[in-house]
Amino acid sequence: MKTALWNSPTDRYMNVITVENLTKKFGSFTAVDNISFEVGKGEIFGFLGANGAGKTTAMRMLCGLLKPTSGKGIVAGYDIRSESENVKASIGYMSQKFALYEDLKVWENIRLYAGIYGVPEKDIAPKTDELLKELGFEGEKETLVKSLPLGWRQKLAFSVSIFHEPKVVFLDEPTGGVDPVTRRQFWEMIYKASDKGITVFVTTHYMDEAEYCNRVSIMVDGRIDALDSPANLKKEFNATSMDEVFRKLARKSKNNEL
Amino acid sequence: MLKYLLEKEFKQFFRSSSLPRMVIIMPFMAVLIFPLVANFEIKNINLAVVDNDKSTYSQQLIQKVSSSGYFRISDVSDSYPQALRSVELNKSDIILEIPPHFERDMAKEKSATVLIAANSVSGTKGGLGSSYLAGIIGDFSNNIRSEWITASDRFSSGRFEISPQFWYNPRLLYTYFMVPALMVMVLAMLCGFLPALNIVGEKANGTIEQMNVTPVNKFIFILSKLLPYWIIGFVVLTICFIVARIFYGLVPEGSLATIYLFAALFVLAFSGFGLVISNYANTLQQAMFMMFFFVLTFILMSGLYTPIANMPQWAQYLSNFSPLKYIIIVLRQVYLKGSSFSELLLPFAVLSGFAVFFNGWAVLSYRKSS
């Protein structure tokens, strides 16, 4: 798998994310240890791991927020090390922490990010209305984001992150603290985005959500210990659920929190 | 892209509950209230008078002292011990004792003595108070002498008079000295403090990370933080000019254009300083503390309150590193002396140096990725 990656030029276009031997060290601590994988267009790629396994660090490198210590990464056709600003223009990102402006209204947040990503101004307002209608948020257009309930905020943050139709969207624990009904709706939104051809790269702690992904990678102590579709992983580890797969793998961790 | 960011900054500014109000109140506080509070002239000195003579001259002297505006007669005693008692009770600061036969001695011997006794717990009050009092008494005796001279011996010689001329601030108004410098303070707070705190606030909220993952250019992002405060800073500076004119009749002798030019340069330098701090601070607390530390040092070293020439040599040397020093010099010179740009080339060069230094540092220390 690794050898073929960089030899064939077409791989760079078929795969939206290609990572080879990516490593990040903070001093003597290796947060991400030599990981390699690829993600295809429109795929929903689950990125699993216990707290501190290195998921967020890996994701931040792919988004151009962190410089890798060594290894290569291509996201949306751009090198994450040398072309990080181009990477940023082609991706969407939704962080663990809610990061829309709470003192701006719903439409103002959408307008701000749409403008920054270069959506033509004449398209912003009609697209905003369309989006709010789709979300059932028409009544909240003028609401300050700080007065929205958490689940709504997360849905809004996700919509904002894909408003400019990026090639990939990175979601860092998007459903943390959200109720099951909203989580379900959230995943419906993820499927819709994937149907539009947007690649979804998602980290999560919820194993039921892992089942919704096309493929899942499981990180333990900075390494990727397993990577396959949920069905194959269950077969391989002789487990009935992703939860069991995860437990079996996480048990190997040196800094076990489970 | 800048347009959207500026829209955001202005909306956030005007939506915040306290900032717009502060911006309006600040110039009034700075120009109207601070100069009165931070006044080093000593007034309202409580004076205990012991008049043992009770003559026309002694009455005239007391009249003159109390009408000077510096003294308030707090106690009229019959004896010195009684007056001292009122000093002990903190009712009086200074005792003026006029001896018996004051008028007679003046007339007969052409000289008389009075006693000034001051409470010097506060050295400034005691020292300045007694020298004011001595000045008034000296003045009084001169007046009497000149009356005698005009009246009788026109031939007496050996008398000379000192008439000082007070240039640039002829009425010796402390407010004229302070107000231009206080305008600088307002600018420093608005254009140095606020954008820096704003950026650190975004760091603390995590919203800056969302910005860092967008293709937004870092110069544009920083510019979007600075521009609103620059605009607000200049509006406030203009309010300061108007307030100073209405309430003190203080109009710059030099040109307003020179002031605006230097203010712009100072604002550029000082917001660069704020940005440097915002790059190193991760929480609002850290940013506030760093700001306080440096701004306090800059202000104390700037000659705003105390003349730099009074400082020990090492402090005078340090004061060269306070950007506030130069802009305060410029504002005082333009406002009071009417200096023109060609006379202010040195501060211009130094402030430009500060602007390049701080902004260069700010750009080098700002990272969109780590």
Side-chain angles (χ1 to χ4, degrees):
Chain A
M1 179 180 97
K2 275 181 203 166
T3 47
L5 255 172
W6 300 91
N7 297 339
S8 133
T10 51
D11 278 341
R12 284 184 67 147
Y13 303 101
M14 284 161 59
N15 293 325
V16 176
I17 303 174
T18 314
V19 171
E20 194 175 76
N21 303 330
L22 198 65
T23 301
K24 179 71 188 181
K25 290 182 181 168
F26 297 104
S28 61
F29 172 69
T30 307
V32 173
D33 190 2
N34 205 23
I35 61 171
S36 302
F37 61 88
E38 63 214 67
V39 183
K41 187 172 189 292
E43 193 175 358
I44 301 176
F45 188 82
F47 211 55
L48 273 57
N51 292 325
K55 295 176 311 239
T56 301
T57 307
M59 184 181 260
R60 287 169 60 88
M61 282 194 280
L62 295 179
C63 297
L65 283 172
L66 265 180
K67 291 253 179 281
T69 309
S70 64
K72 278 185 186 175
I74 300 284
V75 172
Y78 298 106
D79 188 292
I80 56 169
R81 193 191 297 271
S82 58
E83 300 167 304
S84 63
E85 291 304 298
N86 289 327
V87 169
K88 287 173 185 175
S90 342
I91 62 167
Y93 174 74
M94 177 181 166
S95 76
Q96 228 166 31
K97 209 170 165 186
F98 179 76
L100 293 182
Y101 290 96
E102 300 201 344
D103 50 355
L104 290 183
K105 293 173 181 170
V106 168
W107 72 269
E108 291 168 342
N109 266 295
I110 298 174
R111 178 178 159 82
L112 170 66
Y113 282 105
I116 286 174
Y117 281 108
V119 177
E121 185 163 14
K122 62 173 172 33
D123 297 347
I124 296 177
K127 260 191 91 175
T128 301
D129 290 336
E130 199 181 304
L131 169 73
L132 292 178
K133 202 173 160 195
E134 212 174 297
L135 289 172
F137 275 15
E138 296 105 316
E140 309 296 333
K141 186 177 173 182
E142 298 286 342
T143 310
L144 287 180
V145 166
K146 69 173 148 217
S147 44
L148 288 179
L150 180 74
W152 292 37
R153 288 184 189 197
Q154 297 301 84
K155 283 199 257 179
L156 179 66
F158 177 67
S159 308
V160 168
S161 70
I162 58 167
F163 193 85
H164 58 291
E165 293 162 11
K167 292 204 174 88
V168 200
V169 62
F170 290 90
L171 309 174
D172 195 0
E173 289 174 27
T175 52
V178 171
D179 67 75
V181 177
T182 315
R183 263 171 62 198
R184 169 115 217 142
Q185 293 169 340
F186 198 93
W187 275 89
E188 280 163 14
M189 291 171 68
I190 290 179
Y191 272 102
K192 256 188 214 164
S194 155
D195 287 344
K196 282 189 207 159
I198 297 175
T199 303
V200 180
F201 187 102
V202 55
T203 73
T204 181
H205 279 310
Y206 298 108
M207 289 307 133
D208 58 325
E209 290 187 349
E211 311 261 5
Y212 302 148
C213 298
N214 300 129
R215 278 194 306 150
V216 166
S217 74
I218 299 180
M219 270 188 101
V220 180
D221 294 339
R223 294 176 321 275
I224 292 183
D225 276 13
L227 197 171
D228 213 328
S229 67
N232 288 347
L233 283 175
K234 280 185 274 187
K235 208 181 292 169
E236 187 185 331
F237 286 87
N238 197 17
T240 50
S241 67
M242 279 307 292
D243 198 53
E244 208 180 325
V245 173
F246 187 75
R247 281 172 196 281
K248 283 184 172 168
L249 275 168
R251 207 172 289 150
K252 300 194 300 190
S253 166
K254 281 175 285 173
N255 46 352
N256 205 330
E257 286 185 43
L258 296 172
Chain B
M1 207 179 271
L2 183 60
K3 182 181 103 183
Y4 296 99
L5 288 167
L6 283 178
E7 256 181 44
K8 152 187 175 285
E9 293 299 333
F10 276 109
K11 277 177 194 159
Q12 289 181 310
F13 178 85
F14 287 109
R15 208 162 276 167
S16 104
S17 54
S18 55
L19 283 177
R21 271 180 252 175
M22 289 283 287
V23 161
I24 298 298
I25 294 170
M26 213 165 151
F28 287 92
M29 281 291 285
V31 175
L32 293 183
I33 298 176
F34 289 175
L36 304 179
V37 181
N39 192 334
F40 283 107
E41 285 177 286
I42 305 258
K43 280 192 175 165
N44 299 328
I45 303 164
N46 293 318
L47 186 72
V49 179
V50 186
D51 184 358
N52 294 319
D53 194 36
K54 297 202 167 61
S55 59
T56 322
Y57 274 178
S58 73
Q59 285 306 317
Q60 275 178 5
L61 177 59
I62 293 165
Q63 185 62 42
K64 193 172 169 71
V65 169
S66 65
S67 63
S68 69
Y70 293 109
F71 298 97
R72 194 160 57 193
I73 310 284
S74 57
D75 186 77
V76 179
S77 312
D78 293 330
S79 69
Y80 183 76
Q82 204 183 326
L84 199 58
R85 180 84 193 127
S86 101
V87 172
E88 282 165 2
L89 292 173
N90 259 339
K91 283 186 188 154
S92 307
D93 304 305
I94 294 187
I95 302 171
L96 171 67
E97 187 184 24
I98 300 171
H101 317 304
F102 174 69
E103 192 175 63
R104 195 190 69 195
D105 291 352
M106 289 279 278
K108 266 172 78 177
E109 326 212 350
K110 305 264 186 273
S111 97
T113 34
V114 293
L115 172 78
I116 298 173
N119 172 3
S120 308
V121 170
S122 158
T124 334
K125 208 168 186 181
L128 272 181
S130 39
S131 63
Y132 287 164
L133 193 52
I136 294 168
I137 294 166
D139 217 29
F140 175 75
S141 88
N142 278 341
N143 283 349
I144 288 178
R145 276 185 203 186
S146 50
E147 270 173 36
W148 293 338
I149 289 164
T150 44
S152 57
D153 49 5
R154 288 166 188 278
F155 314 106
S156 105
S157 56
R159 183 179 165 275
F160 61 89
E161 202 175 309
I162 303 164
S163 63
Q165 290 199 345
F166 299 108
W167 279 89
Y168 311 126
N169 184 359
R171 288 155 65 203
L172 297 182
L173 290 176
Y174 190 68
T175 45
Y176 277 31
F177 179 67
M178 286 307 287
V179 166
L182 286 168
M183 293 174 179
V184 174
M185 290 268 309
V186 174
L187 270 187
M189 301 284 270
L190 282 179
C191 303
F193 250 67
L194 290 185
L197 291 180
N198 183 315
I199 291 176
V200 178
E202 287 221 19
K203 266 193 199 180
N205 288 339
T207 45
I208 203 158
E209 182 166 298
Q210 194 68 44
M211 277 291 159
N212 285 343
V213 82
T214 68
V216 72
N217 179 296
K218 70 173 179 180
F219 293 104
I220 292 188
F221 182 70
I222 288 180
L223 199 61
S224 79
K225 291 290 178 196
L226 295 181
L227 265 178
Y229 294 102
W230 288 350
I231 295 169
I232 291 160
F234 276 84
V235 170
V236 169
L237 186 64
T238 310
I239 298 179
C240 284
F241 292 155
I242 297 169
V243 172
R245 192 200 166 113
I246 294 176
F247 289 90
Y248 302 115
L250 182 59
V251 199
E253 287 292 322
S255 86
L256 269 180
T258 313
I259 296 182
Y260 277 117
L261 173 76
F262 273 94
L265 185 61
F266 169 73
V267 158
L268 184 66
F270 212 70
S271 42
F273 164 74
L275 289 177
V276 170
I277 294 220
S278 73
N279 286 342
Y280 289 97
N282 289 315
T283 63
L284 280 174
Q285 219 174 2
Q286 287 173 1
M288 286 290 271
F289 189 74
M290 283 198 256
M291 272 286 179
F292 249 86
F293 175 81
F294 284 107
V295 170
L296 211 63
T297 315
F298 283 159
I299 289 175
L300 291 176
M301 290 282 164
S302 69
L304 173 67
Y305 295 113
T306 45
I308 289 172
N310 284 4
M311 299 176 187
Q313 200 58 47
W314 60 266
Q316 292 193 26
Y317 180 72
L318 269 185
S319 75
N320 292 330
F321 296 99
S322 169
L324 280 166
K325 170 183 163 178
Y326 302 93
I327 185 72
I328 287 177
I329 290 176
V330 168
L331 250 76
R332 279 180 178 157
Q333 294 213 353
V334 176
Y335 243 99
L336 301 179
K337 286 167 98 174
S339 301
S340 64
F341 181 74
S342 59
E343 292 155 308
L344 298 167
L345 289 175
L346 180 70
F348 185 81
V350 178
L351 282 173
S352 307
F354 274 116
V356 170
F357 174 72
F358 282 133
N359 288 291
W361 188 0
V363 167
L364 290 178
S365 58
Y366 179 80
R367 297 263 180 279
K368 260 185 92 176
S369 60
S370 46

